[in-house]
Amino acid sequence: MIEHTIAMVLLKLADLLAEEAIFLYRVRDQFEWIERELRRMKCFIKDADDKRRKGDERVKNWVRDVRDLAFEAEDIIDIHMIKIERRRRRRGFMGKFIRYTLILSELVACHMISLDINRMKMKVREISDSRTTYGIANIDENDGEIISSMDDLQARRRISPNLDDDTIVVGFELDKKVIMGHLLDSKIKRRCVISIVGMGGLGKTTLAKKIYNSINITRQFDVCCWVSVSQDYKVKELLKTIMKKVMGIARDEMERMEDDDLKEKLYKFLKERRYFIVMDDIWRTEVWVQIKAAFPDVMNGSRVLFTTRILEVARSADPSIPPYELPFLSNAESWELFLKKIFPTTEDAELRCPKELEALSWNLAIRCRGVPLALVVLGGLLSKKEKTFAVWMEVAKSMDWESNEDGKQFLQILALSYNDLPHHFLKSCFLYIGSFPEDSEIQASKLIRLWIAEGFIPQRDKRSMEDTAKDYLDELVQRCMIQVARRRSDGSIKKLRIHDLLRDMCISEAKEDCFLGIQSSSHNADLSTSRRLALHNISVDLQHLKRTSPNLRTLVGFNLRSSHEINKSIHRIKLLRVLDLEGARNLERLPKEITSMIHLKYLGLRRTKLKELPSSIGDLSSLQTLDTSHTQPIPVPDAFWKIQTLRHVFVVGGCPHTIGNLKNLQTLKVLGAGQWIEKDLEELTNLRHLHISNLLDSHGKPLCNSLAKLEHLVSLKVTTSSQSISGNIITALSNHYQLHKLGLNGRLSDEQHFHSIQEFPTNLTKITLRGSQLRQDPMKVLETLPNLQTLKLESGAYMGEVMISSMDGFVQLQHLVLSGLKNFEDWIIQSGAMRGLTRLHIADCEKLEMIPEGLQQLTKLKELELWDMPRKFRDRVQEDDGDDWCKIQHVPSITFYP
């Protein structure tokens, strides 16, 4: 990762040398010298890094010295840029006499920089001498190769399709049968805990998912729930997660409850039901001891399923049932899985494997020792390589098979994919994922914003950094280094996760390079060397960090327990680029001295108790992202809207007088409507995501006029505070071919009632209508949209009584929500309608008394949720006895809520 560090310092030097001459008085030549020396060293880094990874300790020390030199150069540059900004501000309002009094301090500052750089020169000479001694060669890797590798990303993506985790599974049939036998054994009435035990990467979670998603499970149990535990678990958070999933209780409602209260409430709910709870990735015996009181044993056949790496955890939970120790894959199964990952588009992978590679592929598969994750990762790597003996043999040679340390061998297999990443930008992106807590479902859009703020995503002509970052995500998915947890309706990645072992590798590699440190109950970062720090479930002491980590560039927190001093001390870590304090409960305000944090690009204050933003926030001239989502509504100072670097803004309410010409702005959520709609909105020509609240009648037509000019919009949500949304928003968007997601919350005026498909953007994949009060059946128009995958009609969206889903309508629809339609009483589903529907949610439709006849023809339907429906409706869908049970019995997952 030193390659990336040097590249970033060179970019900063380029920016610095572009400054006005007055701000580089007497030091320009010093910074030009730093630039020349770093460019020379960059030519040798590739060879040195390869030697370091092979265990050469002398070269390892040389690489560390170069890294420290680059860090030192970065510190000098960043500190000098703070002084430049300070001088620029003074020059703006000081008189001539006062400016002359500053000359002495300017000379002192220049002298200090010269001393710092002279010290660097001595280190450079020592590094250059030792390079020759260690035999480190010059590999002239120019920037063009990096850009070329990025240009090839999309081409490589077409080699094989995106493969989410568990798409290709080999084996487990016998294992599944044995465990299902325990779970469904009607002779055992007591609550049982069954455990799947095995090493990391063996497939415990994959097997548990196959069982959890089985139709026999969903029919046997009234309540099913999956919860990930991990090492850094909190009892209260586990209880809240389970209760939210099985009872539908909001987290805010549970926030004030103590552990015992939560256990009692969950116990009472489960007592009347046969439940099946999967607790994935348990590391300690205390977990079940602390939580089992919430799970009643009323002799109704309820079950709990554990996955764990530790036998003692399994045995202590239920001593009467032996743990199921998951075996390794057989040699034949290993080879089958291995080939399927290399040749994913072929049904019979063995027929696709060239004869000259069969023996070598068998040998490589066997060396993975039956560990599915190792086979998947190595197979994903080889799927990107040429299918030749020479290329595959090079891969085999790079694996240290002679070692007897199984753990190191396996990590070497995982590290192969990391080392094979095409450029240092992508390597940085991958390591950064390790900063998120174990078992996290990571929001892709947030990760992308962080990557950009860190400088991992290069700016390319005619392509946004956000689009390039999405390519990086897809590349990591294809290489089986991350897994897709959820996709958006347009097919892009919404949430992702990383396997524990790959995350462990991230953390190990990041620690080795001082790239990232993690401070948690299970990890202790070296605060004196880490340039980036992630805090997990601990208190943050900024005064301590200032003393131990004065050159910290990134501070990200997860479930922080902050003290009140955080309100006063944030600005003291002046070199920060990224500051994310999401969930810091005591954070109420930012100090006005935040003006000194000129390098800050990402400021995350989501889910804090923030009460105000200082006007000095407008001095953060490098800021790209401000996120105050899920805080109380606060005004945003007018000075903030003058920051030209802004790309993504998430605020709660607030109505600025003006926004200004922010050409880089791509995201604006959730801003209160105001005069800025008429004055400024049409100038935000790069806007992609827009959410406006509190729209008044007077804003309707100016909004439509502006929307017509925002041709890059991908998602739009409008919420009105009046009775209707005036103007014809649908028509204004009709030529927006990039628009995928549309949400309208408010009554649509007469001119906006749907009359023709020509009014709609043709590439819409998701539509949410709420309170629209449509009088005509909207299905007639919406079902003809060719790409619509998700449709939500909620809370008075339709005021009619009859809804017809026509033959061959909704060709792409996968998810349909009908909620709060008070007059809706008859739904007709014609033959061939909604053939691809997989999820259906019907709630609070008080006049709908029966399931439509055509529902039984929806053979792809996997999930059916029924909420708050009338008694007659509930009686008709009762299992076996209800008149409508025959219409829905083919659906694997059916959930009823009173």
Side-chain angles (χ1 to χ4, degrees), residues 223 246-247 264-273:
V223 173
V246 303
M247 301 172 67
E264 183 180 359
K265 194 173 185 69
L266 180 57
Y267 180 95
K268 289 179 179 178
F269 179 84
L270 294 177
K271 187 176 180 181
E272 305 299 325
R273 296 163 175 84

Side-chain angles (χ1 to χ4, degrees), residues 607-838:
R607 293 189 176 88
T608 62
K609 293 184 177 180
L610 192 67
K611 295 180 178 178
E612 61 179 354
L613 289 169
S615 59
S616 57
I617 196 173
D619 292 328
L620 302 181
S621 55
S622 299
L623 194 65
Q624 297 174 348
T625 296
L626 172 66
D627 189 352
T628 64
S629 304
H630 305 288
T631 63
Q632 63 182 2
I634 54 174
V636 179
D638 288 342
F640 170 79
W641 301 106
K642 297 178 182 179
I643 302 175
Q644 292 298 303
T645 53
L646 288 174
R647 303 180 74 86
H648 305 281
V649 177
F650 303 83
V651 293
V652 182
C655 177
H657 296 97
T658 182
I659 287 183
N661 188 12
L662 301 178
K663 292 297 186 183
N664 292 308
L665 193 63
Q666 295 191 26
T667 303
L668 186 55
K669 300 178 179 181
V670 178
L671 200 62
Q675 291 183 352
W676 64 271
I677 291 179
E678 185 172 0
K679 292 165 53 180
D680 303 310
L681 182 56
E682 67 180 22
E683 299 297 327
L684 307 180
T685 52
N686 282 312
L687 205 60
R688 294 187 175 195
H689 307 280
L690 176 62
H691 184 175
I692 301 175
S693 65
N694 301 322
L695 193 76
L696 299 176
D697 286 340
S698 59
H699 302 137
K701 290 185 179 179
L703 174 62
C704 292
N705 293 336
S706 297
L707 288 177
K709 300 175 183 179
L710 303 181
E711 59 184 26
H712 295 297
L713 273 182
V714 175
S715 69
L716 172 67
K717 183 176 181 180
V718 177
T719 302
T720 179
S721 60
S722 61
Q723 290 187 346
S724 65
I725 301 175
S726 60
N728 199 326
I729 289 179
I730 304 299
T731 301
L733 298 170
S734 58
N735 293 321
H736 285 48
Y737 300 110
Q738 296 186 46
L739 189 68
H740 287 282
K741 184 178 177 181
L742 176 63
L744 301 176
N745 188 346
R747 185 172 69 83
L748 299 180
S749 59
D750 292 341
E751 58 186 306
Q752 295 193 82
H753 282 234
F754 308 153
H755 300 295
S756 170
I757 184 59
Q758 280 73 33
E759 298 175 353
F760 277 84
T762 56
N763 289 323
L764 280 173
T765 59
K766 181 177 181 178
I767 296 177
T768 301
L769 300 177
R770 188 180 182 89
S772 307
Q773 299 185 30
L774 297 171
R775 297 186 301 276
Q776 297 179 5
D777 181 2
M779 296 296 195
K780 184 176 180 180
V781 173
L782 298 178
E783 67 186 6
T784 59
L785 289 172
N787 298 298
L788 191 64
Q789 296 185 23
T790 299
L791 174 62
K792 297 183 178 182
L793 303 178
E794 301 176 335
S795 298
Y798 174 49
M799 304 304 292
E801 300 174 354
V802 180
M803 190 179 292
I804 301 175
S805 299
S806 305
M807 180 185 300
D808 298 325
F810 290 119
V811 292
Q812 297 287 343
L813 194 68
Q814 297 178 13
H815 185 196
L816 176 62
V817 175
L818 304 173
S819 175
L821 308 182
K822 300 300 184 181
N823 299 329
F824 177 40
E825 61 182 43
D826 189 12
W827 185 15
I828 301 171
I829 302 178
Q830 296 181 354
S831 176
M834 303 184 295
R835 291 177 177 173
L837 194 69
T838 59

